[in-house]
Amino acid sequence: QVQLVESGGGLVQPGGSLRLSCAASGNSFSIYGVGWFRQAPGKQREWVATLSSDGNDIQYTGSVKGRFTISRDNAKNTGHLQMNGLKPEDTAVYYCNTPNLKLNWGQGTQVTVSS
């Protein structure tokens, strides 16, 4: 069973940056692509960004466009989310998965943006 392990979260001041990583066993990201999602307190999990398996299609939810960058390391089957210009409303637990949610969810990594 493929496992997902997210890391890189933390506490950061508004305007700061974090780089999240996601490790997946197997080669799921190479086959299906990689997606990032987040769940803020009291809210449903929402989609943040996806990167297609061939790397040619990248999409972001509107609120993070121009601030977040999704990437993937095929050799290591890892995904990354570079987050710049963080805002308090970005506070959430961040998760990765394939864009079509093929894998069981990992534990996520907490991102807290606060002064």
Side-chain angles (χ1 to χ4, degrees), residues 1-62:
Q1 187 171 358
V2 178
Q3 293 185 323
L4 292 167
V5 180
E6 299 92 347
S7 63
L11 173 63
V12 63
Q13 292 186 343
S17 298
L18 285 172
R19 186 172 188 255
L20 306 184
S21 296
C22 171
S25 57
N27 60 350
S28 299
F29 291 161
S30 298
I31 297 173
Y32 300 111
V34 62
W36 284 93
F37 307 81
R38 66 186 180 185
Q39 186 167 17
K43 296 187 177 181
Q44 290 188 335
R45 184 152 37 202
E46 65 173 353
W47 164 73
V48 175
T50 50
L51 172 61
S52 63
S53 57
D54 62 8
N56 291 329
D57 186 17
I58 300 175
Q59 299 186 34
Y60 299 95
T61 192

Side-chain angles (χ1 to χ4, degrees), residues 10 17 23 34 38 40 52-54 58 71-72 80 82 91 97 99 102-103:
S17 298
V34 62
R38 66 186 180 185
S52 63
S53 57
D54 62 8
I58 300 175
S71 62
R72 187 181 73 224
H80 302 284
Q82 177 67 43
T91 295
N97 207 318
K102 277 282 188 180
L103 307 177

Side-chain angles (χ1 to χ4, degrees), residues 54-103:
D54 62 8
N56 291 329
D57 186 17
I58 300 175
Q59 299 186 34
Y60 299 95
T61 192
S63 62
V64 309
K65 278 183 181 178
R67 300 188 297 122
F68 290 11
T69 303
I70 188 172
S71 62
R72 187 181 73 224
D73 183 337
N74 281 338
K76 298 180 180 179
N77 205 42
T78 58
H80 302 284
L81 187 68
Q82 177 67 43
M83 306 188 297
N84 299 328
L86 283 162
K87 304 176 180 180
E89 51 263 43
D90 294 318
T91 295
V93 179
Y94 283 72
Y95 302 87
C96 64
N97 207 318
T98 62
N100 54 358
L101 307 184
K102 277 282 188 180
L103 307 177

